[in-house]
Every structure is written in structure tokens, then in C-alpha cells.
Amino acid sequence: PRSGSKLMACPAPIHLLRFPQWQGSDAHAHLAGGRAAAAIVESVLQPSSVSAVPIFEAENSCDPGVDAKGQSQCVRHLEAITRQARVARAQLDELPPSARVFTCGGDCGVEVVPVARASRLWPGLAVVWFDAHADLNTPASSPSGHFHGMPVRTLLGDGPP
């Protein structure tokens, strides 16, 4: 907006989901960056409600198990990522359907829960995903086992559980 102009009021309540997850990329810097970004966004956006997803620590290990086709099922920090996603979903499930969710966090994996929620609320929803890469890996196609390369595949139903 130009100097002196005001932001337009949003007709629906805005909920800020603070989700500084770092485990999907294995970069601890996303934790601090996500928290700092959320603080800035909160001061500018002034949401009607805010929730924060606690970050669970986990070992940086992968179970090198394979599926029936012999493909790797390795996703680093999957237990922590899954626990955090469950908390985020429970928080968003408490919101009215009209609430608009603004997610501010760490790696690309933080978008899975809010986009899945929007898809449940508005069947046929189209999502345009802007990122440096497609985020379409599966555990078998990922060279690193990092979840931050799998969110779109997960939203399409072919990612890790």
C-alpha cells in the first residue's frame, strides 16, 4: 500500500497459525526464522485469533524400511512432523469454517494441514504452489528423505502418512 493508505479489512476472521517447523528440511534456522516471521506478520496483520504449534524434537533417523515394491520409505523426523501436524489440525478444527488461516512457519511441510483443511471446506479447490522446486517427491524418490520436498505429493494422496 502507498504511504498513508490503510489495509483493507477482511470480511472473515483471520487466524494466524504459528508453525515454525524445521524438521522437514533438517535446518534449525527455520525454527528461529519462522518465529521471527510470525511475530512480524502478527503485528502487521493483527489477526482475530492466533495459535502456535509446539515443536517436538526427534532423532534425525530414517527407518530404511521398504514397501512391497522394494522402495525406500525413509522420511527424516517423520514422528515429530506427524505429531505437529496432528496438533495443527486439532487447532484448525476448532475454528469456524469462515475463518481464513494465515500460516507462518518454517519449511514447506507446514502448509499441508491448512491446505488440506481448505480442500475439505471447499471441494474442488485449486491450489497454485510457488516454490523453488515442485515438492512432489515420495519417500522413494527423495534423495535426502526430507519432508520439505514432499508436501504437494502428500496433498495429492501419495506422500508419507
Side-chain angles (χ1 to χ4, degrees):
R2 292 187 204 163
S3 178
S5 66
K6 295 183 179 180
L7 293 174
M8 291 180 51
C10 183
I14 297 174
H15 178 81
L16 174 61
L17 178 64
R18 291 170 154 258
F19 200 165
Q21 175 173 286
W22 62 269
Q23 293 96 332
S25 66
D26 212 18
H28 284 272
H30 286 145
L31 180 62
R35 287 180 173 154
I40 293 167
V41 167
E42 187 172 354
S43 69
V44 172
L45 192 62
Q46 298 180 347
S48 54
S49 60
V50 178
S51 64
V53 176
I55 303 304
F56 299 104
E57 295 297 325
E59 291 182 23
N60 184 16
S61 62
C62 278
D63 178 1
V66 294
D67 65 12
K69 296 178 184 177
Q71 296 179 324
S72 171
Q73 295 303 303
C74 177
V75 180
R76 296 186 183 281
H77 304 293
L78 183 60
E79 180 183 337
I81 292 166
T82 302
R83 288 178 67 195
Q84 290 157 189
R86 283 188 199 119
V87 170
R89 180 169 180 170
Q91 291 174 351
L92 296 184
D93 283 349
E94 293 179 12
L95 298 175
S98 63
R100 296 184 185 196
V101 177
F102 192 103
T103 306
C104 200
D107 63 60
C108 299
V110 303
E111 294 303 331
V112 171
V113 173
V115 171
R117 175 187 186 265
S119 182
R120 283 191 310 275
L121 291 172
W122 299 289
L125 174 74
V127 174
V128 179
W129 192 270
F130 292 98
D131 197 298
H133 49 82
D135 294 342
L136 285 167
N137 280 318
T138 64
S141 68
S142 173
S144 67
H146 293 145
F147 184 70
H148 77 115
M150 304 178 199
V152 175
R153 180 67 68 192
T154 299
L155 288 165
L156 293 172
D158 296 326

